[in-house]
Amino acid sequence: MTDQELWQKVLNEAEIKLSKANFITWFKSTYVSSQKDGVVTVAVPNGFTKTWFESKYNKLIFSSLRNLNNRIKEVCYIIENKKPSFNMPDASVEVEEIEETQLKLEGLQIDKETNLNPKYSFDNFVVGNSNDLANATALAVTKKPGVLYNPLFVYGGVGLGKTHLLQSIGNKLKDKKSVIYLTSENFTNEFLDAMQNKSPAAFKNKYRNKDVLIIDDIQFIAGKERTQEEFFYTFNALHEQNKQIVISSDRPPKAIPTLDERLRSRFEGGMLVDIGYPDYETRVTILKTKIKNKDISLSKEVIDYIANNIQKNIRELEGALNLIIASCYLYKNEPTLEQTKKILSHIIDKPKKPISYKKIFSVVSNFYEIAESDLVGKNRKQSIVFPRQITMYLMREEMKVSYPYIGEKVGGRDHTTVMHACEKIENTLKIRGDFEEELNLIKQQIYSV
Ligand code: ADP
Ligand code: MG
């Protein structure tokens, strides 16, 4: 059988076994480069596909080759682009599927011991106005772990690089120190498991014997009393021995309601740094950095378009870029501005979803950890009155509805009460420097999902 015949048969089988999107994405531009002594060499167009074939499709390819010719002992993959690609079905592929596969591929690289993903490093973390302090303190921590800033507490909105920075610290230290990275949700679940299986000692040892403990998204620990208590002891045990602790959160410690007072003061006793929204230059640099190793060049206007339209979330910025990259791989050319607009239209032109007061109720009550019924109730405690006023303010600002309407929905209150609430929040915005950030977080949650 010629190389071409052999490979066409493999393709036929793969086409049946895989989804159309996956089949086209991965098998387009592949061919058998050579067959010798029972070794078949398959050419793939780039390193990304090579890794994917080796880790995911090797079994499928090998067994279908074996069925065709049982003298084949081995398959290997090389990056090569010599022959024209095979005739493929029409490439009307959902590019999101490629993103999904990419995520899975990344999942394969996570280190079992430390939970660290090697893709995050200081080298590929772009520094700008919004994150230079966070970056500098994180780097300082890697130079003198446990000594300088302990704990280091990094906070900021969704998709702005907290996880990236935390993991970079871990990756930089992991060869010299015993490092463990986990989210506060994982910590909670493991703790509960340990309690149920009556193995608290193993749990304690696991975390108290580390040199560096990195806990991501600590806000989820709020309200969970026993977990917080356990975390407090772990924290102290490590801190006393000058072991480094690094924590992230979507907001500063004092804005996490129902965070144990003892923990709050421990966190505030360390170094607090925030990460803000990236400015335009940083966004452009991020985009350029991410395409550097992909042998793709995008025009200035395409890069500008993405950077101008996605401003508040680096994950979304990357997501948009990945769609463009996927399209480059699929169609073998760099998209024009018009094509870019089309590819990204579902992300960028997404009409701002009309929001309902119910959504505001649920986000605000979740954020401040109070019951929704308290928002419309009569309780005069400050910890409830304030979120209630925020609710009214957000209904006014985001839904543009009338004061009487708001009053009616928020427990049948008089319109003057609503006006007073809105004024109160506007004043708070002027006086309390960090309040705008808090409000932005709430808005972000209202508009996401
Ligand atoms: P967070 O944990 O704050 O929600 P992540 O750290 O997960 O955000 O960042 C979201 C994505 O954006 C990640 O893929 C990350 O690598 C990327 N990213 C964030 N900040 C930067 C940066 N300054 N330079 C390069 N990539 C970044
Ligand atoms: Mg994160």
Side-chain angles (χ1 to χ4, degrees):
M1 230 182 288
T2 66
D3 293 349
Q4 186 159 356
E5 285 164 352
L6 185 71
W7 195 237
Q8 192 59 53
K9 291 216 158 71
V10 174
L11 289 181
N12 293 344
E13 197 172 329
E15 189 176 358
I16 300 167
K17 292 198 170 146
L18 305 175
S19 76
K20 188 173 168 191
N22 269 335
F23 174 65
I24 296 172
T25 308
W26 300 111
F27 285 81
K28 194 181 162 83
S29 317
T30 59
Y31 52 89
V32 167
S33 174
S34 65
Q35 313 181 44
K36 200 176 164 222
D37 305 330
V39 180
V40 176
T41 303
V42 176
V44 295
N46 51 54
F48 187 43
T49 311
K50 182 166 179 279
T51 321
W52 194 248
F53 270 40
E54 285 165 349
S55 58
K56 274 281 169 185
Y57 292 145
N58 187 51
K59 214 167 137 197
L60 184 153
I61 294 168
F62 184 60
S63 71
S64 72
L65 284 169
R66 287 275 301 183
N67 288 341
L68 296 162
N69 177 350
N70 63 14
R71 270 169 309 183
I72 293 174
K73 302 191 300 277
E74 199 185 327
V75 203
C76 61
Y77 305 91
I78 54 162
I79 303 170
E80 188 180 273
N81 259 314
K82 288 197 198 121
K83 295 191 186 166
S85 53
F86 281 84
N87 285 340
M88 292 299 257
D90 189 23
S92 55
V93 178
E94 287 286 328
V95 257
E96 279 92 344
E97 235 180 272
I98 298 177
E99 277 202 300
E100 211 175 282
T101 2
Q102 196 167 359
L103 276 179
K104 283 189 209 142
L105 184 62
E106 283 169 5
L108 297 174
Q109 304 177 343
I110 292 170
D111 179 65
K112 295 275 177 303
E113 191 111 339
T114 58
N115 301 325
L116 290 168
N117 186 332
K119 80 165 187 164
Y120 295 113
S121 74
F122 284 106
D123 294 339
N124 59 20
F125 189 75
V126 175
V127 182
N129 284 334
S130 55
N131 60 18
D132 56 352
L133 184 62
N135 178 68
T137 43
L139 263 175
V141 158
T142 64
K143 304 233 165 74
K144 285 200 159 83
V147 180
L148 225 41
Y149 302 127
N150 205 11
L152 172 63
F153 190 104
V154 181
Y155 66 92
V158 183
L160 295 180
K162 301 182 298 294
T163 296
H164 190 132
L165 209 50
L166 261 62
Q167 294 233 7
S168 303
I169 296 177
N171 279 320
K172 185 123 191 187
L173 289 173
K174 70 167 189 258
D175 295 334
K176 290 181 287 183
K177 305 264 174 194
S178 63
V179 177
I180 191 144
Y181 163 93
L182 76 171
T183 63
S184 74
E185 279 174 310
N186 294 142
F187 186 88
T188 306
N189 292 338
E190 272 191 41
F191 172 63
L192 296 179
D193 276 353
M195 296 309 284
Q196 250 166 23
N197 300 329
K198 308 239 177 327
S199 57
F203 177 82
K204 285 192 176 94
N205 285 336
K206 178 167 174 195
Y207 293 104
R208 294 183 194 181
N209 289 335
K210 297 290 172 194
D211 297 323
V212 182
L213 173 66
I214 305 176
I215 301 266
D216 210 349
D217 290 319
I218 195 76
Q219 71 272 11
F220 295 121
I221 211 176
K224 296 171 186 138
E225 278 163 36
R226 285 178 61 203
T227 310
Q228 289 200 51
E229 195 178 349
E230 178 58 30
F231 183 66
F232 180 71
Y233 293 129
T234 306
F235 184 102
N236 286 343
L238 291 169
H239 200 259
E240 274 162 19
Q241 305 170 67
N242 289 332
K243 305 293 191 187
Q244 180 69 45
I245 300 152
V246 184
I247 298 165
S248 85
S249 166
D250 66 350
R251 54 193 110 161
K254 69 170 179 307
I256 309 177
T258 64
L259 179 66
D260 186 335
E261 204 44 55
R262 296 177 301 177
L263 276 178
R264 191 192 318 277
S265 77
R266 284 286 188 283
F267 295 167
E268 283 175 348
M271 175 74 175
L272 299 184
V273 280
D274 72 327
I275 301 188
Y277 295 135
D279 57 18
Y280 174 77
E281 282 74 24
T282 311
R283 299 198 298 274
V284 169
T285 315
I286 289 174
L287 291 170
K288 287 188 174 157
T289 313
K290 306 243 173 216
I291 49 176
K292 217 187 251 159
N293 308 320
K294 298 235 156 69
D295 52 78
I296 282 173
S297 64
L298 295 176
S299 68
K300 183 175 179 313
E301 48 178 7
V302 165
I303 294 205
D304 272 358
Y305 180 77
I306 307 176
N308 271 323
N309 283 284
I310 301 177
Q311 305 186 342
K312 299 200 165 158
N313 186 325
I314 298 173
R315 185 171 301 121
E316 278 177 15
L317 195 69
E318 266 188 340
L321 184 67
N322 282 340
L323 290 179
I324 301 296
I325 292 174
S327 136
C328 291
Y329 282 155
L330 278 179
Y331 302 108
K332 294 237 171 303
N333 71 3
E334 277 99 43
T336 61
L337 181 60
E338 281 319 301
Q339 287 165 331
T340 301
K341 286 184 182 168
K342 227 170 162 179
I343 297 169
L344 299 182
S345 63
H346 68 291
I347 305 179
I348 287 172
D349 304 331
K350 215 173 17 184
K352 225 181 175 185
K353 261 182 301 188
I355 52 165
S356 70
Y357 69 90
K358 287 192 180 137
K359 180 83 190 178
I360 298 182
F361 280 18
S362 91
V363 169
V364 173
S365 59
N366 248 322
F367 192 90
Y368 291 102
E369 290 169 6
I370 59 175
E372 271 186 49
S373 57
D374 277 334
L375 288 178
V376 297
K378 300 262 178 274
N379 196 324
R380 309 270 324 141
K381 272 213 307 243
Q382 185 54 23
S383 60
I384 286 171
V385 171
F386 190 57
R388 188 184 290 142
Q389 289 171 329
I390 291 180
T391 306
M392 296 192 243
Y393 170 84
L394 287 172
M395 285 174 76
R396 179 73 184 169
E397 289 297 306
E398 305 301 309
M399 296 170 61
K400 311 278 177 222
V401 287
S402 72
Y403 292 124
Y405 174 86
I406 299 172
E408 183 201 315
K409 294 295 176 207
V410 185
R413 294 182 149 76
D414 190 67
H415 74 279
T416 53
T417 310
V418 181
M419 289 166 76
H420 170 75
C422 293
E423 271 168 32
K424 174 77 201 297
I425 298 303
E426 274 160 24
N427 277 331
T428 311
L429 273 171
K430 283 183 207 139
I431 330 167
R432 247 183 65 196
D434 59 347
F435 180 58
E436 186 175 355
E437 202 177 344
E438 192 169 316
L439 209 54
N440 278 339
L441 260 171
I442 299 173
K443 282 190 210 162
Q444 212 177 7
Q445 291 182 8
I446 290 173
Y447 286 106
S448 71
V449 291

